[in-house]
Amino acid sequence: MFTQSDLQPALTLAHCQALDVQDPLRPLRDAFDMPSGVIYLDGNSLGALPKTTAARVAEVVTQEWGQGLIRSWNSANWFTLPQRLGDKIARLIGADAGEVVATDSTSINLYKVLSSALSIAAQDAPLRKQVLSERSNFPTDLYMAQALCQERGFELRLIDADALAGALNDQVAVLMLTHVNYRTGAMHDMAAVTAAAHAAGVLTVWDLAHSAGAVPVALKADDADFAIGCGYKYLNGGPGAPAFVWVHPRHSERFWQPLAGWWGHATPFEFTPDYRPAPGITRYLCGTQPMLSLAALECGLDVFASAQAMGGMAALRAKSLALTDLFIALVEQRCSGHGLGLATPREHTQRGSQVCLTRSEGAYAMVQALIARGVIGDFRAGDGHEQPDILRFGFTPLYLGFEEVWNAVEQLRQVLDTQEWKLPAFTQKQAVT
Ligand SMILES: *Cc1c(COP(=O)(O)O)cnc(C)c1O
């Protein structure tokens, strides 16, 4: 629980404004179209709109599609866009060029890589029949794994994060984890967990939905086996943007992926009746890719290219930690005595780019009251037992400033002090929380 801390000097608005003045990443904020009057703390769920996206998508529609018509598959290089965007994503996640494709959704890509991992396990270690994951993993990951396990004769075993080390035994074929937990913002040590898994003979599948573009990721250096991630969260690709998939080169050509469509064929335009997989990551494509959506995703990725000149992911990480540290400290100083708890680890090495507050009652209404005041976060329901309800706030270092963090906490303080959240309008549940 948050209690007033006497040890730290009180933070001030002027201090937060000074942090903005010193922020080397501050110019990146101008790369985004933000509605006025909004403090956006939900970029971990749907990233903001880059200023270039609308014109670029319009150009693809009117010029490349409208005028170029089918010629644009060649003349506008549409056909290789999944690989070219994959190369841009690779730089953010510690992979090499040619190892990533932007395609399909996170759920579908998880199906592909988990299936490949199970095929490898079935061949190399046929007695291992378990897929291990965390009970608090994102539900779609668990649902896809359940379905695949049923189909392939495996068992999905769910544990809590603290039981991980003891659970890696000779029954386990694949460890499937989300790097940064969507509910709590807790982050796994990818290098250590992967090393422990490999020492136990277990393959790793990492979901980077809340990591890519938010925290430095080093897939190759950490020796991961498979990874997938999301295009519409920190990568700012737009609602339903194509996701991505990475497979370590030692595995990428061992098996077909199960959704073996013609875009993953070695020579799709020979139209042969039998499937021959393309070399490398290209075989993880399935069918015709959505060019309008990929064009929008590229605009999001190109903001990271600008960030590269300002220190890249290391600078973004430093700012993200400063933003989340500031938020925690301000909530602690200004919102104590209101029954809020902290679900996110304080330890930097264990924290992603979000802060989750807990409250036994009223969390949903508090989030709604904040949204009415222009502070957009979101709510994640607890399970009614061990997991409390959560007020979730994402901090996107590309476009968020320190003064905004001050103002967001000030709005939260007012919502709590006035008990405004108890108004009936704020308790009405909407379809998307
Ligand atoms: C956001 C998220 C997804 C989303 O999957 P979709 O297929 O895009 O709906 C999947 N897994 C995790 C861990 C996520 O955070």
Side-chain angles (χ1 to χ4, degrees), residues 105-108 137-138 140-141 178 182 207 209-210 230 232-233:
S105 67
T106 307
S107 303
I108 290 172
N137 200 346
F138 192 84
T140 203
D141 298 47
T178 295
Y182 80 103
D207 188 330
H210 287 273
C230 187
Y232 54 77
K233 291 173 179 162

Side-chain angles (χ1 to χ4, degrees), residues 135-136 160 183 379-390:
R135 206 181 314 281
S136 68
D160 294 327
R183 273 180 56 85
F379 164 82
R380 289 292 175 263
D383 62 4
H385 312 288
E386 286 158 40
Q387 289 186 340
D389 288 351
I390 277 177

Side-chain angles (χ1 to χ4, degrees), residues 106-122 129-133 137 139-152 154-158 172-177 202-207 225-228 244-247 251 255-259 284:
T106 307
S107 303
I108 290 172
N109 289 334
L110 178 63
Y111 185 86
K112 298 174 199 169
V113 297
L114 184 55
S115 176
S116 293
L118 294 181
S119 297
I120 290 171
K129 286 291 176 196
Q130 282 181 0
V131 172
L132 188 66
S133 192
N137 200 346
T140 203
D141 298 47
L142 299 180
Y143 304 158
M144 296 306 275
Q146 273 172 33
L148 248 174
C149 283
Q150 276 179 32
E151 197 181 300
R152 303 281 298 268
F154 283 77
E155 176 205 346
L156 177 63
R157 183 168 150 224
L158 299 182
V172 180
V174 178
L175 173 64
M176 177 189 86
L177 291 176
V202 176
L203 293 165
T204 55
V205 171
W206 290 98
D207 188 330
D225 295 292
F226 299 88
I228 51 161
F244 64 87
V245 52
W246 171 82
V247 177
H251 301 309
F255 287 94
W256 299 8
Q257 57 102 346
L259 306 177
Y284 280 81

Side-chain angles (χ1 to χ4, degrees), residues 302-330:
D302 285 344
V303 180
F304 286 92
S306 313
Q308 203 54 42
M310 303 171 187
M313 282 310 305
L316 288 167
R317 174 62 170 164
K319 181 174 171 187
S320 152
L321 286 171
L323 289 166
T324 48
D325 276 345
L326 177 67
F327 183 79
I328 292 170
L330 283 171

